[in-house]
Amino acid sequence: MNPWFRIHQRDPEAPMRLYCLPYAGGSASLYRGWGAGLTGVAEVVAVQLPGRENRIGEPPVAAMSTLVDRLTRAMRAEPARPYALFGYSMGARVAHHVAHVLSAAGRPPERLFVAASPGPAAPPGPAAHHLSEPDLIAHLRRLGGTPDEVLDSAELRRLVLPAVRADLAVVETAARPAGPPLSCPVHAFAGRTDPEASPDRMAAWDVETSGDFVLDTFDAGHFFVHADPAGLLARVRACLVPVPARPVAAPAAVAA
């Protein structure tokens, strides 16, 4: 099995795969329940980055180019199937770069989903990857996605913070992808009270595609993936389920 991918529920007959990337410090477990929610629509492939869970012994990758090169190599080694990409926060920016690389190689995604991450054209916020440990912990507490029991434990911080810091560096030191915009539809999700990726900053994803763009919002902060997981999954499913063609009514008979 490829260490980059975790498929919690096999669905080989689904018409496409949905590759899902986590937020900074996150893991493939974030998408554990998504396969059941997308049965028959997409086989969910959760991306497992180095430095967490079953890959805890590997050093995390701190450069976008290196991470994307390794990940796209792993994806190209998989059977060729239609696919879409979903990325949350840091994962959204990685998914965007992956979409560019694979599009240039002739394998564009069917759709790109980006959540809780400002568009690459938006002015960057303050960098966090270089913060001292106390300041980084305070930053993570403000965002609200890391359990207090992790941040309060020196042992757990030792396991988690290297991956968080590397993931933040991936985003904060990456250049915007070169070349023309993507041609696939881009669907963005934003939390209305997110201090990092407000709906206004998420709207900047519009310029990253020549295809359709949609911005959806949630009554939540940065981590609406935890606040409303069912609602997020339902919206993703609705985007992936083909809309049946409206039947064309037969012309009315003309009286002789």
Side-chain angles (χ1 to χ4, degrees):
M1 294 183 64
N2 195 315
W4 285 90
F5 307 127
R6 298 283 296 277
I7 302 177
H8 296 109
Q9 180 169 314
R10 294 278 175 181
D11 193 4
E13 301 303 317
M16 71 167 63
R17 278 185 155 185
L18 177 64
Y19 288 91
C20 298
L21 292 105
Y23 48 71
S27 66
S29 293
L30 176 64
Y31 302 104
R32 184 180 300 278
W34 280 41
L38 294 176
T39 300
V41 175
E43 183 175 54
V44 176
V45 183
V47 175
Q48 188 75 292
L49 302 178
R52 58 217 81 195
E53 290 188 342
N54 60 307
R55 303 186 72 182
I56 193 69
E58 302 177 49
V61 180
M64 180 71 82
S65 59
T66 303
L67 180 59
V68 170
D69 178 67
R70 294 177 62 187
L71 176 54
T72 53
R73 285 175 184 269
M75 292 177 68
R76 285 195 292 261
E78 294 290 294
R81 292 173 62 184
Y83 72 98
L85 294 162
F86 180 98
Y88 202 95
S89 195
M90 167 263 192
R93 296 292 293 276
V94 177
H96 183 222
H97 279 258
V98 167
H100 270 272
V101 170
L102 293 182
S103 293
R107 292 184 57 185
E110 300 293 317
R111 184 178 293 269
L112 172 64
F113 295 99
V114 290
S117 177
H129 71 276
H130 63 280
L131 293 175
S132 66
E133 182 169 312
D135 287 342
L136 180 58
I137 292 170
H139 173 71
L140 296 176
R141 288 193 196 277
R142 282 195 298 273
L143 289 179
T146 308
D148 286 339
E149 55 265 29
V150 172
L151 297 178
D152 291 340
S153 166
E155 182 177 357
L156 293 178
R157 291 198 304 269
R158 180 178 58 82
L159 294 173
V160 171
L161 290 187
V164 172
R165 196 180 292 279
D167 289 353
L168 292 173
V170 164
V171 175
E172 293 169 356
T173 63
R176 188 176 173 190
L182 298 172
S183 59
C184 67
V186 172
H187 197 118
F189 300 100
R192 293 191 182 96
T193 59
D194 186 347
E196 300 286 321
S198 65
D200 285 348
R201 286 169 61 76
M202 289 292 297
W205 282 101
D206 187 14
V207 300
E208 304 302 326
T209 181
S210 60
D212 293 338
F213 174 75
V214 176
L215 174 61
D216 256 342
T217 59
F218 288 82
D219 288 320
H222 190 69
F223 285 100
F224 51 87
V225 66
H226 296 309
D228 188 8
L232 176 58
L233 184 56
R235 296 190 199 188
V236 170
R237 181 184 176 91
C239 292
L240 295 177
V241 174
V243 178
R246 188 185 300 272
V248 178
V254 178

